[in-house]
Amino acid sequence: MAIQTRSTGSFPTATIASPHGGLPVEVSLIAQLGHGVGDQMHAGASALQRAHPAFVDELDEPSTKLGGTDFAKGDATALYTFAVGTKGHPFHRHAGHRVFTAVSGSGGAQLRFSTATSAELADDPAHFARTLHHIDIPPDCMFTVRFNGTTWHQFAPLDPAHPALFAISCHTNELGGELSEAVRQQVLAGTASIPSLTETLPGAVLHWLAANPPASEDIPTIALALEAAPGSLQSRLCRVARGMLGRLRGLCATCRKAGGFLWESQGRLPVQAIEPPKDSLLRGQLEHSHQHEDMVRIRLRDPALARAGAPRLLAGLLDGFLRNPPSSVSRMMAVRNTLVRPLGLRTSPLGCPVSSLLSRQAGETFDGRFPVLAQAVDARHAQVILGADDKHLRFRSCVAVRIVDDAHVELTLGTRMHCKNLFGDIYIGLIERMHRHHVSPAMLRLAAEHAFMRQPVRSSPLRVLPL
């Protein structure tokens, strides 16, 4: 028996050609994982698989469907997970093309393929053994497999003390190949599973194999490896170490409660810089003596918000400025307060656009609780003026909510500043860019998220309009 070992500069790949002109079997090693990871992954992922609502345990190949077909949209693919344990599974084949990525157990895996056709097996069951090939996968390896679904295949562990593999399999065309009418209807109904798409060896072939089990040394075998040549001393020592750690890590994985987590973000609200609208109260503030002006807007689409009315939404937005300030702006204000306190300037934990919301001076209020300098309120457009005077500058801000129509709402925050002296000019020169591009947009965004995107139940999903 000729044995040849050769090195490759890329992924080690084994190919078994089809004698009938069909697609070949292709197996490639992708990565050598940490010692014992294969058994650990098999145990942990198998536990998650068992908890899945689509879990099926048949043919010694427990599996689940992660994603089904959508023929209405032209998608005939399906995605499955499956596991092969310490006893392997029986020879079988599928009607359609198969592609899967797997991680071998910590004892390695053997992939067995036979390219015999149904006609050849009907004529001579022994032909199954004559077309049999083995591909050995080392322990704890990620690998890919691609083959024609009509290829008979069986996966088994190289060491029966360890599982063979855990895989994610893509059925590239769930309707591919020769399907019975009953199975075809299952696929079209979205109820197909790996067992329902599987055909096991004919009884005559099983009977022949039981009477004439082929010797492993008589079967053409390709051994793939990364980091150490197959059969080398390093490879054998590595296999022993991986096997020991695999049993330990696999045991630890079975002792932990299976479960995952899902964290979901609705994404940041996009903020757009705009000019103050003609009916904005900001246009009447510091009208002829301001050195800085900015205004930002957020547009939302939500019929439930539009029905709530502008005054109620404005109250929620102002509350959002107080309850959900950007941490970056708060840190900048803390530094600013430390620097200007010796100069006798105003200090506040909030950025200047809305810092006067913390004022305790008696005067005009909006909604009975927010101190304002002016307000203009009706059911569809509510706006207030905030602001304060300091030794070096005066600022005025306009916070507004506009009900555009039955489904659309606009939120705006605008600011004007007037410098009273040279120090004010220098101060605005230093902060203007940061105020325009970060402070105002961040404060409006986080206030809006607090007010309108943290509701436990909404009558309709909130949508952000493109700018």
Side-chain angles (χ1 to χ4, degrees):
M1 179 173 61
I3 298 177
Q4 180 183 12
T5 300
R6 64 180 184 272
S7 62
T8 175
S10 187
F11 304 113
T13 299
T15 302
I16 302 172
S18 170
H20 313 289
L23 294 174
V25 176
E26 297 172 310
V27 180
S28 298
L29 287 190
I30 304 301
Q32 180 81 67
L33 306 180
H35 286 56
V37 166
D39 282 11
Q40 181 184 25
M41 178 178 176
H42 186 279
S46 293
L48 294 173
Q49 183 177 251
R50 284 192 297 272
H52 196 278
F55 176 66
V56 177
D57 191 0
E58 296 181 30
L59 301 176
D60 294 320
E61 187 180 3
S63 61
T64 191
K65 182 187 290 187
L66 292 181
T69 56
D70 191 341
F71 293 108
K73 296 181 179 178
D75 184 5
T77 64
L79 189 65
Y80 294 84
T81 64
F82 69 88
V84 181
T86 57
K87 297 180 180 179
H89 64 177
F91 268 105
H92 62 277
R93 68 179 182 179
H94 313 291
H97 187 240
R98 296 292 184 264
V99 179
F100 70 83
T101 300
V103 173
S104 60
S106 298
Q110 186 170 80
L111 315 182
R112 303 164 182 170
F113 300 95
S114 175
T115 56
T117 65
S118 297
E120 291 170 336
L121 295 181
D123 182 61
D124 180 11
H127 193 71
F128 180 87
R130 290 195 289 269
T131 59
L132 195 59
H133 293 76
H134 290 176
I135 299 176
D136 289 349
I137 304 295
D140 303 324
C141 268
M142 178 185 291
F143 62 98
T144 63
V145 180
R146 187 168 71 152
F147 59 93
N148 192 324
T150 58
T151 302
W152 298 101
H153 55 281
Q154 180 187 57
F155 308 141
L158 284 172
D159 182 343
H162 301 272
L165 56 89
F166 188 91
I168 299 176
S169 178
C170 177
H171 296 186
T172 55
N173 183 2
E174 196 86 312
L175 284 173
E178 297 180 4
L179 300 176
S180 69
E181 184 58 27
V183 173
R184 178 180 173 82
Q185 291 304 317
Q186 275 190 303
V187 172
L188 291 173
T191 59
S193 63
I194 285 183
S196 69
L197 297 166
T198 296
E199 176 190 358
T200 56
L201 274 176
V205 179
L206 291 174
H207 180 74
W208 185 90
L209 287 173
N212 305 276
S216 59
E217 58 267 21
D218 296 333
I219 300 172
T221 300
I222 301 173
L224 303 178
L226 291 163
E227 301 179 358
S232 65
L233 177 60
Q234 180 183 350
S235 175
R236 292 195 294 271
L237 292 175
C238 184
R239 186 179 296 274
V240 172
R242 289 180 180 276
M244 294 173 61
L245 284 172
R247 284 188 285 272
L248 178 61
R249 297 184 72 163
L251 179 62
C252 291
T254 58
C255 293
R256 290 196 298 267
K257 181 181 179 181
F261 303 90
L262 177 66
W263 183 88
E264 184 176 2
S265 170
Q266 296 178 337
R268 296 200 321 170
L269 292 173
V271 181
Q272 179 186 24
I274 63 169
E275 294 293 324
K278 292 182 179 180
D279 58 352
S280 172
L281 291 181
L282 188 64
R283 287 188 173 272
Q285 305 296 315
L286 309 178
E287 189 172 1
H288 303 294
S289 60
H290 61 274
Q291 286 74 45
H292 168 86
E293 177 183 272
D294 65 61
M295 180 168 278
V296 290
R297 177 180 64 188
I298 290 175
R299 303 178 67 202
L300 304 175
R301 183 187 186 281
D302 187 345
L305 287 181
R307 289 193 298 269
R312 178 180 171 186
L313 298 183
L314 180 57
L317 185 61
L318 294 175
D319 190 59
F321 286 119
L322 295 173
R323 295 180 179 272
N324 195 37
S327 58
S328 58
V329 175
S330 297
R331 288 193 295 269
M332 286 190 291
M333 289 303 297
V335 174
R336 180 257 184 204
N337 292 340
T338 300
L339 295 177
V340 304
R341 187 174 287 111
L343 303 177
L345 303 184
R346 292 178 67 254
T347 59
S348 175
L350 294 179
C352 72
V354 297
S355 61
S356 63
L357 288 174
L358 298 177
S359 172
R360 296 182 179 179
Q361 295 181 359
E364 189 174 356
T365 62
F366 170 76
D367 197 39
R369 55 191 174 120
F370 300 108
V372 299
L373 300 180
Q375 57 184 301
V377 179
D378 60 46
R380 302 190 65 83
H381 188 200
Q383 53 183 326
V384 296
I385 292 294
L386 311 176
D389 297 344
D390 208 347
K391 291 182 178 181
H392 60 313
L393 58 77
R394 304 165 64 201
F395 81 86
R396 298 292 183 267
S397 296
C398 180
V399 183
V401 173
R402 187 191 302 271
I403 309 298
V404 180
D405 54 38
D406 292 343
H408 301 88
V409 177
E410 289 185 354
L411 319 173
T412 57
L413 170 63
T415 304
R416 280 181 174 177
M417 299 185 193
H418 162 69
C419 301
K420 299 171 69 174
N421 49 44
L422 178 61
F423 178 69
D425 290 331
I426 296 173
Y427 182 82
I428 287 185
L430 292 174
I431 70 164
E432 181 177 25
R433 183 176 179 82
M434 180 66 69
H435 194 281
R436 185 185 304 276
H437 296 289
H438 177 70
V439 174
S440 290
M443 295 189 73
L444 181 61
R445 178 186 294 120
L446 266 71
E449 289 177 356
H450 178 87
F452 310 126
M453 298 185 70
R454 299 189 180 187
Q455 304 298 326
V457 177
R458 301 197 66 87
S459 60
S460 61
L462 175 66
R463 289 207 301 165
V464 181
L465 294 182
L467 299 180

